[in-house]
Amino acid sequence: MMLNVIEHFDSRGLLEKLVEKARDLRPHNQGFVQVVREHWPGLLGAGTRPSTNAVARREALREQDWEHLIGHIHDRRVTPVIGPDVSRGVLPSLTELAGEWAERWHYPFADRDDVAKVAQFLALREYRLLPHEQIQHRIANVRLPSLDSHAGIHGVLADLNLPLYLTTCYDGFMLKALNDRRHPATHGYPVWNQTLREQSGNEAGPTDSGRSSLVYHLFGHHEIAESMVVTEDDHFEFLTAVVADPKLFPPIVKRALSTTSLLFVGYSVLDFGFRVLLRALLKSVSAKNPRLGVAVQLPPESLSDEQRAQVEKYLKAFLNEPGQFRFNVFWGDTLEFTRSLRDRLALKDRNVV
């Protein structure tokens, strides 16, 4: 079948494009690079025509950044921070959800893709928990993805078997991926409003048992509508609670924010929820994190190379400005990052053996 594919592309003069795309998707496959060097040396030279994804690949992390990240993973000193884009294709994106709600409830303003603003409109027009319940129903009725796959980001992250996974997703996909691999795992969320405080009573929060992973839902879990941070008011109340209560996050979370390399994955450039999250994390710890973090960011579409470079520069300044965290940016989607991470982990394991 592969020979037929190669012949098909070759007969149409597209074989070099196929090889170039394969090279872009597997830049660290040394065997493939050697084949390209022997048969298509021009595709590895300085004069190679840059692909349309050149800006995204330019910041696909320096070699030493990858080495630091892989080393921290093997030392179990990485904390993934998982955003809503990791469930794209299984659940609607927040932008898609906002558009659906805006259409159904006749949202009158121009920012119909801003889920926090549209959710705020629904909460005021109908009742406060309507947007939360809408998300609950979508997650409850979704057909769960195959989380035992080693190709998806949930599978790759679960294979790492890390002590802590932070997430702003409301779904339970990360917990399921861990349990499917027979990695003991529990989940929790912050008690950030009065309703939750009354419901929780004197219940103890999640602790670090040393034997299982904790999936901590920073913006709440879909099974408890009141725990979900959805509307603008929710985001502001959540941030206020972080500032007011230094014990809002359990010790395992605060310790990870200060001592482990943070890996942000599944967030769009300057998404409102991402900005609130970063501010909340900054407010919850005072010590500087000595390790370099990584933020996987999808480049905005319909921009020139120069404009994308400006966005990149601004995002780096935004991430690193407070001084408590330091981040490098991987420009690309979650799938690109997952492939690169999986390949490098496999190469590291082979070298160790």
Side-chain angles (χ1 to χ4, degrees):
M1 183 178 67
M2 287 307 302
L3 288 174
N4 289 338
V5 170
I6 292 172
E7 289 175 358
H8 172 82
F9 278 84
D10 194 29
S11 66
R12 288 160 175 77
L14 298 173
L15 185 57
E16 283 198 2
K17 289 184 178 296
L18 176 66
V19 173
E20 185 179 14
K21 184 63 175 176
R23 180 208 62 190
D24 293 345
L25 292 174
R26 293 290 189 274
H28 311 297
N29 186 324
Q30 294 304 311
F32 182 77
V33 169
Q34 183 60 36
V35 171
V36 174
R37 181 175 289 112
E38 292 176 4
H39 299 283
W40 296 279
L43 294 183
L44 295 175
T48 303
R49 176 185 58 82
S51 72
T52 56
N53 203 29
V55 175
R57 287 189 289 105
R58 186 187 68 221
E59 265 316 303
L61 298 188
R62 300 171 303 169
E63 197 62 34
Q64 65 196 60
D65 297 329
W66 276 113
E67 291 177 4
H68 294 326
L69 178 60
I70 300 301
H72 292 330
I73 287 173
H74 279 270
D75 292 339
R76 303 187 82 219
R77 290 189 175 276
V78 168
T79 301
V81 187
I82 305 166
D85 283 352
V86 300
S87 300
R88 186 183 297 272
V90 180
L91 292 169
S93 69
L94 295 181
T95 299
E96 292 168 342
L97 205 57
E100 289 180 16
W101 293 348
E103 184 70 22
R104 180 176 175 183
W105 278 281
H106 308 291
Y107 184 72
F109 306 108
D111 47 4
R112 298 165 67 90
D113 60 349
D114 189 322
V115 71
K117 285 185 168 63
V118 178
Q120 186 68 39
F121 175 80
L122 265 62
L124 293 174
R125 173 178 164 169
E126 303 296 331
Y127 58 93
R128 192 178 70 83
L129 286 180
L130 175 61
H132 308 67
E133 292 171 357
Q134 289 291 310
I135 295 174
Q136 273 188 317
H137 295 155
R138 295 300 287 263
I139 295 175
N141 294 321
V142 74
R143 183 175 181 179
L144 289 178
S146 177
L147 300 178
D148 60 350
S149 168
H150 293 270
I153 187 63
H154 291 100
V156 171
L157 293 177
D159 285 335
L160 305 182
N161 194 21
L162 296 167
L164 176 66
Y165 296 81
L166 299 176
T167 179
T168 55
C169 300
Y170 312 112
D171 60 70
F173 296 164
M174 192 65 245
L175 182 67
K176 184 178 186 303
L178 287 163
N179 288 332
D180 285 351
R181 284 160 173 72
R182 303 187 185 281
H183 296 326
T186 58
H187 76 275
Y189 53 81
V191 179
W192 59 271
N193 61 52
Q194 185 60 30
T195 301
L196 291 176
R197 284 189 283 271
E198 292 175 355
Q199 290 177 352
S200 63
N202 294 321
E203 294 179 12
T207 58
D208 182 6
S209 68
R211 296 184 298 273
S212 63
S213 299
L214 171 64
V215 180
Y216 196 70
H217 292 262
L218 291 159
F219 283 1
H221 192 276
H222 74 96
E223 292 179 348
I224 308 295
E226 293 83 357
S227 72
M228 298 164 64
V229 179
V230 181
T231 66
E232 282 187 317
D233 281 353
D234 290 341
H235 283 89
F236 295 136
E237 186 176 350
F238 171 79
L239 193 54
T240 301
V242 172
V243 175
D245 184 1
K247 296 183 179 179
L248 182 68
F249 296 148
I252 181 177
V253 172
K254 300 187 73 169
R255 186 164 60 249
L257 295 176
S258 299
T259 62
T260 67
S261 178
L262 302 181
L263 172 59
F264 283 92
V265 58
Y267 295 96
S268 299
V269 175
L270 298 185
D271 168 72
F272 177 70
F274 178 57
R275 298 200 303 271
V276 170
L277 169 64
L278 191 61
R279 294 305 177 200
L281 298 183
L282 288 169
K283 296 292 185 183
S284 66
V285 293
S286 56
K288 290 184 178 180
N289 188 318
R291 290 182 171 81
L292 186 67
V294 174
V296 180
Q297 288 286 325
L298 185 66
E301 298 178 356
S302 305
L303 294 180
S304 68
D305 287 359
E306 183 178 356
Q307 289 172 321
R308 289 193 181 192
Q310 291 299 317
V311 171
E312 171 190 332
K313 183 178 179 181
Y314 177 75
L315 180 62
K316 276 194 169 183
F318 173 79
L319 288 170
N320 296 316
E321 180 272 331
Q324 285 174 257
F325 302 133
R326 289 182 58 230
F327 290 96
N328 276 337
V329 180
F330 178 100
W331 283 104
D333 62 23
T334 302
L335 182 58
E336 289 177 80
F337 177 78
T338 302
R339 287 169 174 164
S340 295
L341 179 60
R342 185 187 63 230
D343 290 348
R344 286 175 174 275
L345 287 169
L347 181 61
K348 174 77 170 180
D349 291 339
R350 286 198 298 271
N351 290 339
V352 169
V353 173

